[in-house]
Structure formats: C-alpha cells, structure tokens
Amino acid sequence: MGYMMADKINLRTFIIIDNMQPQYAAVTGTVVKGDICLAGMAQLYIEIEPGSSVYKLLDAALKKTNVKPGFQIVEREYGEIELHSYNIEDVREAGLAILDACSLSIEDRMKPKIVSEQIISNVNPYQAQLINRDNRYGSLLVPGESLFIMEVEPAGYISIAVNEAEKNSDIKLITFDPVGRYGRMYVSGSESEVKSA
C-alpha cells in the first residue's frame, strides 16, 4: 500500500540510466550531497511535483532496496531524487517502490520535449571564457572547438541526454543542469563529434 499523499503527484521525469559514463558520473558526483556515484553505476533520476513529496518517496525506496541516495532536492516548483547502485536491479526496484508509494506507473511520466538546440562552430575565445566562468564542474571549453547546447523540458531528462551523448560520441562534457524548469547541457569537441552527440 502506498503512502497517503495530500496532493496528487505529477511524475515529471522518471529515468533509469543503465551505465553512467565517466564524465557524466564525475560531474554528477561533484554536486551530489549524499552518496557519491561512480562510472559504471546504474542511476534512477526522478523529478516530481509538488517538490516536498520527495521525502516520503525517497524513504520508501531506501527502506525497500539497497540503492544509495545522491540527493533529494526541493526547489521552487519541483523536487528531484537521485539514486544509484552498481546493480541495475536495485535501481529498478527503487523505481517500482517509488511508483507504488505514489500510486503511479511509468506511463504517467511526462514525455520529454526539446526546447532548443544549437551548434556554435569555432567558438570565439571571449565566448569560451564567459561559458567557462559559469561552469564550475565539467571540462573547460577551448576556443576553436564546436559547442552543442540543448535544452529540454522537464529538466531531469537532460541527464539521460548527456549520458547517451557521452556514450555515443567523443565529446567533452562542459556542464549540464537537470534542475529547474529547463534542463541544459553543453558539450564540446570537433564539429563531427558534436553533431554525432
């Protein structure tokens, strides 16, 4: 039986990442406030509304599974939960425990929508510096590289986009942000690799 919730929960994002890539895991590991995630782990990322629902949902997952929590975030509009394990079955069980606790199914999650995407070729040194000043966790953008920027809604879906881009192309992860209204990613490399990403 699920937890009693005063408000209906809107499942904005529900993602299972099967194999966290090295850059993605490294950047994620710098911002988590709980257990550190590492490359090769599986990950569950959930974004919900109202945000304060994260407390009971994380409690349900931790009491029923062996996953480790990276964070529980409650911000202005939404809440996010990150859980990880080397065992993907633990991550799947945690997802089922959370869905059960809020009486939802994976089909209830919102579908992702690309809000914008752009490639900037041969990045100018001044623009590279501005982007590098805003970035504290990933790689540095080097002048002359190509830069791919993508925004998605709901924000949490940017996590799987970043991980898949790294898995399928030879790019540098400059930064990404899965929290807020829109999720954003910045990756750089050669023109062909950025297009592949």
Side-chain angles (χ1 to χ4, degrees):
M1 180 175 212
Y3 283 100
M4 295 295 290
M5 297 281 183
D7 299 311
K8 178 167 178 8
I9 293 177
N10 180 16
L11 186 60
R12 293 180 53 77
T13 305
F14 185 100
I15 300 167
I16 293 180
I17 291 176
D18 63 343
N19 182 2
M20 295 176 76
Q21 298 302 294
Q23 292 180 81
Y24 172 75
V27 172
T28 302
T30 63
V31 297
V32 297
K33 295 184 178 179
D35 189 76
I36 300 294
C37 50
L38 301 172
M41 289 183 161
Q43 180 188 49
L44 173 67
Y45 192 100
I46 293 178
E47 180 183 6
I48 57 171
E49 177 183 25
S52 61
S53 299
V54 296
Y55 301 114
K56 286 198 180 249
L57 298 181
L58 182 60
D59 178 65
L62 294 176
K63 286 180 176 170
K64 292 183 179 179
T65 68
N66 293 318
V67 294
K68 300 295 183 203
F71 57 74
Q72 63 181 2
I73 298 171
V74 178
E75 48 102 9
R76 182 172 294 161
E77 295 181 80
Y78 313 120
E80 287 91 18
I81 298 170
E82 189 278 344
L83 298 162
H84 51 268
S85 171
Y86 278 113
N87 184 340
I88 194 165
E89 290 309 314
D90 285 342
V91 169
R92 287 188 178 120
E93 286 177 29
L96 291 174
I98 287 172
L99 291 172
D100 182 56
C102 57
S103 300
L104 294 173
S105 71
I106 196 167
E107 289 78 24
D108 294 316
R109 69 183 169 182
M110 292 176 68
K111 291 187 174 24
K113 174 183 156 192
I114 296 175
V115 177
S116 71
E117 57 182 315
Q118 56 188 301
I119 293 176
I120 299 171
S121 301
N122 191 22
V123 173
N124 181 279
Y126 287 108
Q127 188 170 28
Q129 286 295 79
L130 290 173
I131 290 169
N132 289 334
R133 285 182 179 176
D134 287 338
N135 170 37
R136 300 284 183 255
Y137 303 110
S139 295
L140 291 173
L141 177 60
V142 176
E145 291 179 328
S146 291
L147 176 67
F148 175 55
I149 304 166
M150 185 168 77
E151 293 180 297
V152 299
E153 181 182 24
Y157 283 111
I158 204 66
S159 295
I160 197 164
V162 170
N163 197 70
E164 289 300 310
E166 182 179 352
K167 192 186 288 186
N168 293 291
S169 58
D170 185 20
I171 45 93
K172 289 190 326 189
L173 175 53
I174 303 304
T175 194
F176 73 100
D177 186 1
V179 178
R181 178 148 188 190
Y182 301 119
R184 290 179 186 87
M185 70 182 240
Y186 300 76
V187 299
S188 72
S190 69
E191 184 90 14
S192 63
E193 291 296 339
V194 163
K195 285 180 178 175
S196 176

